[in-house]
Amino acid sequence: MPVVVLRDFRPGDQPVFRQLNEEWISKYFTLEPADLKALDHPEAYILASGGAILFAELAGNVVGTCALIKMADGRSYELAKMAVAPAAQGQQIGFLLGQAAIQRVRDLGGTRVYLESNAKLAPALALYRKLGFRDLAQPLASPYARADVQMELLLA
């Protein structure tokens, strides 16, 4: 079984970050202005404000990604733009990325991970629950029309 290598965003990664996310978003939904901000300008929108972007590689090829966007309270991070290439799905890559993202939030001193999803993405919701996320009792305002599920993981 090939080894999954996790790494941080590097200069030149924006096209693959966009492609992986555009692929799944376009399959189920439509790209929205909030998507384009993150996908076209990840350094400015995600990294410059204290966030992170992680990648998963198999045999030297990027097959998955996820972003952590630092939220306004300074202690919460939004887990966003998680994608695994269709050919690499079913190999625990999303789970490995999720675990690494949660650990990164801990390393950054964060106390909460928040995410938005959609009820029709059942495999993604199952993954988030496996990682320990719980549904938010009171939904927050979202920039995404497709977001009908909001979850959080509180880090002790």
Side-chain angles (χ1 to χ4, degrees):
M1 177 129 170
V3 175
V4 177
V5 176
L6 299 177
R7 67 167 178 85
D8 282 300
F9 184 95
R10 296 192 290 242
D13 280 339
Q14 181 271 332
V16 71
F17 179 65
R18 181 182 173 127
Q19 184 248 324
L20 282 166
N21 277 285
E22 194 172 348
E23 192 170 18
W24 79 261
I25 294 169
S26 300
K27 179 177 177 179
Y28 298 102
F29 310 104
T30 11
L31 282 171
E32 299 181 47
D35 292 312
L36 298 175
K37 261 198 308 198
L39 298 179
D40 290 342
H41 309 286
E43 293 99 335
Y45 184 72
I46 299 167
L47 300 177
S49 60
I53 300 172
L54 305 176
F55 287 98
E57 292 183 351
L58 265 181
N61 297 312
V62 173
V63 294
T65 187
C66 70
L68 289 166
I69 302 169
K70 192 171 190 177
M71 297 176 72
D73 69 7
R75 294 181 317 279
S76 298
Y77 288 80
E78 179 182 359
L79 178 65
K81 303 295 174 255
M82 181 178 263
V84 175
Q89 290 175 2
Q91 299 181 58
Q92 299 293 306
I93 291 166
F95 186 70
L96 292 171
L97 279 165
Q99 286 182 312
I102 292 164
Q103 185 57 51
R104 178 63 57 88
V105 170
R106 283 192 170 98
D107 294 346
L108 292 168
T111 57
R112 177 176 170 261
V113 187
Y114 165 83
L115 65 83
E116 297 183 348
S117 191
N118 183 280
K120 73 173 158 182
L121 300 175
L125 297 178
L127 167 67
Y128 301 140
R129 288 191 175 96
K130 183 176 170 184
L131 288 164
F133 284 85
R134 300 288 170 252
D135 292 284
L136 222 56
Q138 292 294 316
L140 306 172
S142 171
Y144 298 100
R146 65 177 177 266
D148 64 359
V149 174
Q150 295 178 338
M151 303 175 91
E152 71 178 356
L153 173 64
L154 301 176
L155 305 177

